[in-house]
Amino acid sequence: MMCSLTRNDLQRIFEKLDRKGDGYVSVESLKRLAENIGFNYGAEEVESLVGKKRLDLEEFLMFYESISRSNSSGESRGGGEEEEEELVKAFEVFDMDGDGFISSEEVECALKRLGLWDPKSCKDCASMICVYDTNSDGLLDFQEFKNMMLLTIR
């Protein structure tokens, strides 16, 4: 499941993953990110997807673009049931207290846990929730989260 990210967003993610600061993201870093999101891939699986042991920024951007394209065209998508399961898993990553709702604080905590937190993102988290919060309670329930994700991945 891919969110629609800008080049700047992807560059920030790349920089967070580039722990050595050498301009490359390792397969191990990509594997850790996938695990933190809730997907368990082996290093060999990630390397097979990526095609090499490490990526520079341009390769990382192309890799993201190719995955986004294949997801939006349905090549890598399963049926509706599989998509629903993925959405439930993603929702659970953000719904840290298990109350069935996602708050801007939970988004912040999830981003920190994933190593993707940027203090400037705090307003973005609240704004993002506000945009998709159809009942204006300041939280995203699963249906609102699902609508947000389906709108950004199609």
Side-chain angles (χ1 to χ4, degrees), residues 125-144:
C125 294
S127 297
M128 179 266 309
I129 285 180
C130 184
V131 168
Y132 296 99
D133 178 19
T134 57
N135 63 1
S136 301
D137 63 357
L139 303 167
L140 291 182
D141 60 29
F142 179 71
Q143 190 59 48
E144 292 166 331

Side-chain angles (χ1 to χ4, degrees), residues 88-138:
V88 168
K89 286 180 187 176
F91 185 82
E92 290 170 351
V93 168
F94 289 94
D95 181 19
M96 299 182 141
D97 61 8
D99 68 352
F101 300 96
I102 299 172
S103 67
S104 61
E105 293 82 9
E106 287 174 310
V107 172
E108 178 182 336
C109 288
L111 292 174
K112 284 179 181 175
R113 192 173 74 200
L114 296 170
L116 302 174
W117 175 247
D118 179 353
K120 295 177 251 173
S121 302
C122 188
K123 288 181 185 173
D124 294 341
C125 294
S127 297
M128 179 266 309
I129 285 180
C130 184
V131 168
Y132 296 99
D133 178 19
T134 57
N135 63 1
S136 301
D137 63 357

Side-chain angles (χ1 to χ4, degrees), residues 52 67 132:
K52 46 179 39 179
I67 289 175
Y132 296 99

